Amino acid sequence: MVPTADALADSFHVLLVDQRGHGESTRRPADLSRRAFVEDVITVIEALLPGQKVTLVGQSMGAHTAFLTASARPDLVDRLVMLEGHVAGSDRTEDARELGNYFASWPVPFTDVASARKFLGESPLAQAWIDGLERTERGLRPRFDADVMERTIAAVHEPRWTEWEGLTVPTLAVFAEHGMFTNEQRDELICRRPGTRRADIPEGSHDAHLDAFGTWIRILSDYLELA
């Protein structure tokens, strides 16, 4: 979400949170529960913005963490924006394993950026992964481990409808035309919490913050400026 933060920085005070197991945070945390991720966000808010409410913005798993944070501590959250996020979970037990297997298949460390791009491809998501690689003495490696990602996503796949239906924080749910969720899944999210605002990006994938960047920033900025 770095490009998103950069696009907003001139108009808003933006904080980026490296979620545990990602980025420059703890690489192999002992606790990968949803509660642990939520407590991390709460700690950041209370430490850096004491006495203030924030707008939480997240994509995919980040949206799920943001939603659960808003549910647990509505006193800290003014508004919530979820891009390609959902709360229904998944009944496919193999989903998390397949993701873990994909990350485990990366031939890391990569010798250089060219070798990383040859394997990962030319997509905006691939470029984001490449930009985030860590340089080591042996080469370039991701800032996460496959098994940690698998365990993290497995927790995200548990349904959280109770928290969603009880959420009191004003929320914008944004979906991309070629995103992860079916029309029925998108409709159900709104129907089960009718006060939720919805916006649709008429292009882009699950990673619309990368491959439909301009539309995403316009939708997000318009919503933020309503305050």
Side-chain angles (χ1 to χ4, degrees), residues 35-220:
R35 178 184 295 275
F37 279 79
V38 167
E39 289 177 350
D40 289 343
V41 177
I42 291 171
T43 297
V44 170
I45 296 171
E46 292 184 329
L48 299 182
L49 297 167
Q52 299 184 48
K53 282 193 170 187
V54 303
T55 297
L56 292 179
V57 181
Q59 181 264 346
S60 192
M61 190 187 78
H64 195 270
T65 302
F67 142 66
L68 289 178
T69 302
S71 173
R73 291 294 304 274
D75 58 305
L76 298 178
V77 182
D78 180 52
R79 284 178 299 175
L80 169 66
V81 181
M82 300 168 60
L83 172 61
E84 280 289 305
H86 213 287
V87 308
S90 173
D91 56 7
R92 294 183 74 251
T93 57
E94 63 269 29
D95 280 350
R97 183 176 65 253
E98 288 173 358
L99 182 66
N101 288 342
Y102 170 65
F103 287 135
S105 75
W106 290 18
V108 294
F110 296 111
T111 304
D112 51 26
V113 169
S115 64
R117 183 168 287 113
K118 182 178 180 180
F119 179 80
L120 294 171
E122 301 283 348
S123 70
L125 178 59
Q127 186 59 53
W129 277 332
I130 292 168
D131 290 342
L133 292 173
E134 176 185 22
R135 187 172 298 278
T136 72
E137 291 182 357
R138 297 180 56 206
L140 302 173
R141 68 169 187 168
R143 296 179 186 271
F144 55 82
D145 290 331
D147 64 314
V148 172
M149 292 300 96
E150 180 175 340
R151 290 162 54 205
T152 298
I153 291 299
V156 174
H157 286 169
E158 295 294 325
R160 307 302 292 254
W161 286 117
T162 299
E163 291 94 331
W164 176 250
E165 291 169 356
L167 185 65
T168 59
V169 173
T171 302
L172 171 66
V174 185
F175 297 105
E177 180 179 3
H178 306 294
M180 178 177 289
F181 307 106
T182 65
N183 288 331
E184 291 76 17
Q185 288 170 324
R186 300 175 195 185
D187 290 343
E188 183 179 17
L189 189 75
I190 307 304
C191 287
R192 294 182 72 157
R193 186 172 176 267
T196 305
R197 293 188 58 173
R198 173 176 170 177
D200 292 284
I201 297 177
E203 73 259 33
S205 69
H206 184 62
D207 300 293
H209 62 302
L210 301 174
D211 56 29
F213 181 74
T215 306
W216 156 241
I217 291 300
R218 176 182 56 77
I219 290 171
L220 177 58

Side-chain angles (χ1 to χ4, degrees), residues 1-2 4-17 44-57 76 78-79 220-221 224-225 227:
M1 295 289 276
V2 173
T4 295
D6 288 343
L8 298 176
D10 288 342
S11 302
F12 302 95
H13 181 192
V14 181
L15 292 176
L16 287 172
V17 178
V44 170
I45 296 171
E46 292 184 329
L48 299 182
L49 297 167
Q52 299 184 48
K53 282 193 170 187
V54 303
T55 297
L56 292 179
V57 181
L76 298 178
D78 180 52
R79 284 178 299 175
L220 177 58
S221 297
L224 296 178
E225 289 168 0

